[in-house]
Amino acid sequence: MIKLLFLLTAFACNAQKDRLNAIDRNDVVVSSYNLGDSISKDEIDSLKINFDPIIDQDTLFYYYFGNSYFEVLNDKIIGFKLLDNNLKIEFSKLKIGDSTEALKKEYPQSFSSKYKPSEDPSEIVRISVANGGQLTDSFIHFEFVNGIITSIYYWEDY
């Protein structure tokens, strides 16, 4: 019975991913940077260091460009969060401040599966990230409030 429940849950999760729009990992480019690229500290506006010896095994750096930032681990970009238009996604024409109508038009499948985090005024549309045609546990999240995109970020389920 437990195995059947597990298989049904796994099937439901995969079916959900199949209903989302997808973008290939190699196409996830932000201001000319790909995931896995390096950035010179000379290019950034500010730096925040995150290290907790009880939780973290490695130091995570946040390289800021205005309010937006790249997450950098071992000198490689592992994620990003856009909160203004200092950094731009290159896989889409969408940007912070755009209406959700543009988001709905560009990613209709994912938009129809939008969700609302509990006790939060925002809603999220997530775009699956694929690697060589295979869906991964990574997503691009478009967060919006009152019909306006307020953040775009890379999310990886660990």
Side-chain angles (χ1 to χ4, degrees):
M1 181 65 167
I2 293 174
K3 285 183 182 179
L4 178 61
L5 183 60
F6 175 76
L7 289 173
L8 289 174
T9 302
F11 177 76
C13 289
N14 285 332
Q16 170 66 18
K17 282 186 187 178
D18 290 342
R19 286 194 298 268
L20 301 177
N21 295 100
I23 183 170
D24 192 86
R25 189 178 198 284
N26 292 330
D27 295 330
V28 178
V29 179
V30 178
S31 295
S32 301
Y33 292 104
N34 291 44
L35 295 172
D37 283 352
S38 296
I39 303 174
S40 168
K41 289 181 184 173
D42 294 338
E43 299 175 50
I44 65 175
D45 292 338
S46 62
L47 172 70
K48 179 181 172 191
I49 300 171
N50 186 21
F51 180 76
D52 182 342
I54 296 173
I55 299 171
D56 302 319
Q57 294 178 358
D58 294 308
T59 303
L60 183 62
F61 296 90
Y62 296 92
Y63 286 18
Y64 279 85
F65 296 79
N67 292 323
S68 299
Y69 60 84
F70 287 109
E71 296 174 343
V72 177
L73 181 67
N74 298 323
D75 292 325
K76 303 290 182 205
I77 297 171
I78 63 165
F80 61 85
K81 186 164 190 174
L82 310 183
L83 297 166
D84 55 25
N85 289 310
N86 284 303
L87 296 173
K88 298 191 182 337
I89 55 174
E90 295 180 17
F91 52 87
S92 169
K93 294 178 183 175
L94 296 169
K95 61 187 182 312
I96 303 302
D98 283 350
S99 78
T100 54
E101 287 304 313
L103 178 62
K104 182 178 182 179
K105 190 174 187 177
E106 189 163 348
Y107 298 110
Q109 293 163 293
S110 294
F111 193 85
S112 66
S113 297
K114 68 182 181 284
Y115 66 95
K116 183 172 179 29
S118 62
E119 299 182 28
D120 193 324
S122 66
E123 292 182 88
I124 295 175
V125 169
R126 66 184 193 173
I127 314 304
S128 294
V129 175
N131 191 3
Q134 295 290 330
L135 292 177
T136 66
D137 287 333
S138 302
F139 303 92
I140 304 297
H141 282 200
F142 288 85
E143 188 170 14
F144 57 95
V145 176
N146 298 325
I148 302 296
I149 298 172
T150 56
S151 71
I152 303 167
Y153 58 96
Y154 180 79
W155 176 266
E156 187 170 342
D157 286 337
Y158 294 103

